[in-house]
Amino acid sequence: MKKYLLSFLAAATLLASCTSEKPAVGDFKLAEPEDIVMYQVNPRVFAPSKSLNAVAARVDSIRALGVNVMWVMPIYPIGQERSKNSPYSIKDYKAIAPEFGTIDDMKNLVKVCHEKGMGVILDWVANHTAWDNAWVKEHPEWYTHDPVADTIISPRGPGWDWTDVADLNYKNKDMRAAMTDAMKFWIKDVGLDGLRCDVADSVPADFWRDAIQTLRKSAGDRKIVMLAEGKDSTNFTVGGFDLNYGWDYKDSLISVFVKGRSAENLAKADASEYKVLPEGKVKMRFTTNHDQSTFATPCKEFTNDRGAMAAYVSTIYPHGGALVYGSQEVGYEKPINFFKYVAVNWMQKPDIYKEHQHLISIYNDHRALRIGGMKSYAVKDVFAFEKQDGDERILVVVNVRNHSVRFSLPADWMGKQLTDLYKEEVLAVKADIGLKPYEYRIFKMAGK
């Protein structure tokens, strides 16, 4: 492990220099959904103003993690009427708030990312608008009305406090057309590579189908990637999305790491999410995101940094579709309220950055981890599974507990010469191995 304890600056500089040789804009090729490593940008942790430029200045460090798609949270003008300063309260779908920058700043960020071999998608909020969005006065029929009072209402759902936004009416064809036109602006005119669609399950799937078909046509020869924040199967079967959220898997992760349930539940959750997934579609897997980090960051939610990294290995290696929420790669410990600016020290924990970087490089280098068939060997305290693609066989073993355990290897892995992909050493493992608290091992069958 000593050779991985390089200084953060030296490592980032070295890897950033490699990324400068990535394809230029005209040669940029978007990653396939199963190969995606996505980085979620909350602009409000990068700078208190002109944050798109601050993001552009950190592209080398983000790319050096092994990221190939950047997701930027909403940057539109934020509604002031009934406001909570949420970026998900959209006043104008075709503009950018001065807090974040300008349209030209966004175009520059896309250009810089493409030069480094990285795609850019933008958060899209189709379920609701701000109360002072021009649509409210100009087209009140585009909104959902209380049937008795005949007044526009906010979206409603269990535990929701969305009084700062107005619910859109998808029975109105003119509203659908205006929404699609606004989405197309960002793909065609700004050059984005797709959209991440907020609360996708609350918007009719047939709207997504029609809109996504229009967006793909508007992109011409360029591919785009569409991510649904939802878990409904119609996101794929009707809507035409490429990825949606692995919410059930995250819930299982908490039940195992935090509540002490058997690690076998992770294998069951993975199989359950993928058994009904159409071919070529992907569940985006995560240990945190902007909503969840409002309450607990990974190093707190999973006990400590070691628990957070064990959970991350358990999350990204069963299948493709990996996410890094900007700040987790430096082990940021405090909750981040994305309704306001929060300063993140990007040099806080260089060893955690380096660990994410190395784990993602293994993910990128070994196709079996992203698309290979999965066979579970999970037991109560250890999440163990084999991934195989052709002749490549990889065994991932994760201690999900904050105490030492022993694990018996599967019979056909015993006594074999194995390569430890993380430590980059060849070794012979006999019948079982000892695992320190939250330790993980990534074995590849030597010679395969």
Side-chain angles (χ1 to χ4, degrees):
M1 290 296 295
K2 288 184 179 179
K3 65 180 177 179
Y4 298 121
L5 299 180
L6 301 172
S7 72
F8 175 79
L9 283 173
T13 300
L14 174 63
L15 285 159
S17 67
C18 294
T19 61
S20 66
E21 299 175 1
K22 294 292 178 182
V25 177
D27 299 323
F28 169 71
K29 184 177 180 180
L30 187 66
E32 295 296 329
E34 65 269 17
D35 297 329
I36 282 177
V37 179
M38 189 174 293
Y39 186 93
Q40 182 183 358
V41 167
N42 172 5
R44 283 175 164 168
V45 303
F46 284 83
S49 64
K50 302 292 184 181
S51 50
L52 287 175
N53 290 336
V55 175
R58 289 201 56 81
V59 163
D60 281 345
S61 178
I62 294 169
R63 181 67 176 108
L65 282 168
V67 169
N68 51 32
V69 174
M70 177 188 289
W71 151 27
V72 181
M73 287 173 61
I75 52 175
Y76 319 97
I78 296 169
Q80 298 303 301
E81 185 177 343
R82 310 187 198 183
S83 179
K84 298 178 182 178
N85 204 33
S86 168
Y88 289 88
S89 176
I90 313 302
K91 186 176 180 179
D92 185 344
Y93 281 112
K94 290 186 178 182
I96 293 180
E99 171 190 351
F100 305 120
T102 66
I103 292 289
D104 285 341
D105 292 336
M106 187 66 193
K107 288 181 178 179
N108 178 65
L109 177 59
V110 173
K111 176 179 178 293
V112 171
C113 286
H114 283 184
E115 288 172 346
K116 304 296 182 178
M118 195 160 48
V120 183
I121 69 173
L122 181 61
D123 226 316
W124 194 259
V125 186
N127 183 66
H128 48 264
T129 75
W131 286 99
D132 48 0
N133 188 299
W135 289 2
V136 173
K137 289 185 177 179
E138 295 173 3
H139 303 285
E141 71 279 10
W142 289 7
Y143 292 84
T144 306
H145 286 239
D146 181 286
V148 177
D150 195 28
T151 53
I152 298 172
I153 63 173
S154 297
R156 295 171 180 173
W160 292 6
D161 179 17
W162 290 4
T163 53
D164 60 328
V165 292
D167 192 62
L168 285 164
N169 172 22
Y170 273 85
K171 294 179 181 178
N172 189 289
K173 293 181 180 180
D174 292 335
M175 187 280 291
R176 286 185 175 219
M179 182 66 71
T180 303
D181 177 70
M183 297 167 76
K184 188 168 67 173
F185 166 78
W186 293 94
I187 301 297
K188 186 176 180 180
D189 296 351
V190 182
L192 291 172
D193 302 294
L195 299 170
R196 175 269 187 191
C197 298
D198 188 60
V199 288
D201 291 354
S202 295
V203 174
D206 66 329
F207 167 76
W208 293 126
R209 177 197 63 209
D210 296 343
I212 290 173
Q213 287 175 358
T214 298
L215 296 181
R216 296 198 193 281
K217 290 178 182 177
S218 73
D221 294 335
R222 295 191 300 123
K223 284 174 52 180
I224 63 170
V225 63
M226 299 295 295
L227 165 64
E229 188 210 16
K231 65 178 186 178
D232 197 306
S233 61
T234 59
N235 296 155
F236 300 125
T237 57
V238 178
F241 283 96
D242 301 294
L243 305 92
N244 74 358
Y245 273 43
W247 282 119
D248 291 341
Y249 192 84
K250 173 61 194 289
D251 290 343
S252 184
L253 204 68
I254 295 300
S255 76
V256 170
F257 276 84
V258 179
K259 299 179 181 179
R261 295 191 65 192
S262 172
E264 295 169 291
N265 287 286
L266 289 172
K268 292 176 183 177
D270 177 79
S272 177
E273 284 193 334
Y274 268 85
K275 71 180 179 181
V276 294
L277 216 61
E279 186 176 355
K281 305 298 184 179
V282 177
K283 284 283 183 180
M284 189 185 72
R285 294 278 173 79
F286 51 89
T287 55
T288 191
N289 55 46
H290 65 284
D291 285 315
Q292 301 195 322
S293 276
T294 300
F295 306 102
T297 55
C299 62
K300 297 295 185 181
E301 190 170 29
F302 297 104
T303 305
N304 53 34
D305 284 332
R306 299 314 326 138
M309 297 314 301
Y312 195 66
V313 171
S314 301
T315 299
I316 70 169
Y317 285 170
H319 282 98
L323 176 71
V324 179
Y325 174 55
S327 71
Q328 80 174 82
E329 78 271 28
V330 293
Y332 189 78
E333 295 182 351
K334 297 179 181 179
I336 294 175
N337 182 341
F338 62 92
F339 286 27
K340 62 183 181 179
Y341 169 66
V342 177
V344 168
N345 177 7
W346 299 104
M347 302 298 293
Q348 182 174 348
K349 295 179 182 177
D351 55 327
I352 297 298
Y353 174 96
K354 186 66 180 174
E355 191 168 1
H356 277 90
Q357 185 182 60
H358 191 42
L359 290 171
I360 293 170
S361 74
I362 295 170
Y363 171 97
N364 285 332
D365 290 344
H366 296 277
R367 179 178 166 86
L369 290 171
R370 305 190 305 277
I371 62 95
M374 180 173 169
K375 184 175 183 180
S376 175
Y377 296 103
V379 294
K380 184 177 185 299
D381 296 328
V382 177
F383 184 34
F385 55 93
E386 179 180 330
K387 295 298 299 294
Q388 182 171 0
D389 178 51
D391 291 335
E392 184 175 55
R393 297 176 64 191
I394 297 176
L395 180 68
V396 180
V397 181
V398 184
N399 179 3
V400 301
R401 306 295 180 223
N402 195 22
H403 58 77
S404 298
V405 299
R406 296 200 70 82
F407 175 72
S408 296
L409 293 180
D412 60 344
W413 287 79
M414 291 182 181
K416 300 289 179 64
Q417 193 176 58
L418 307 176
T419 299
D420 186 318
L421 292 176
Y422 189 77
K423 297 182 178 180
E424 292 189 346
E425 62 183 23
V426 178
L427 66 162
V429 180
K430 295 183 180 180
D432 66 354
I433 57 173
L435 296 166
K436 297 175 184 177
Y438 294 129
E439 184 178 9
Y440 57 82
R441 305 294 294 273
I442 307 163
F443 297 121
K444 181 184 176 189
M445 202 67 90
K448 297 290 186 181

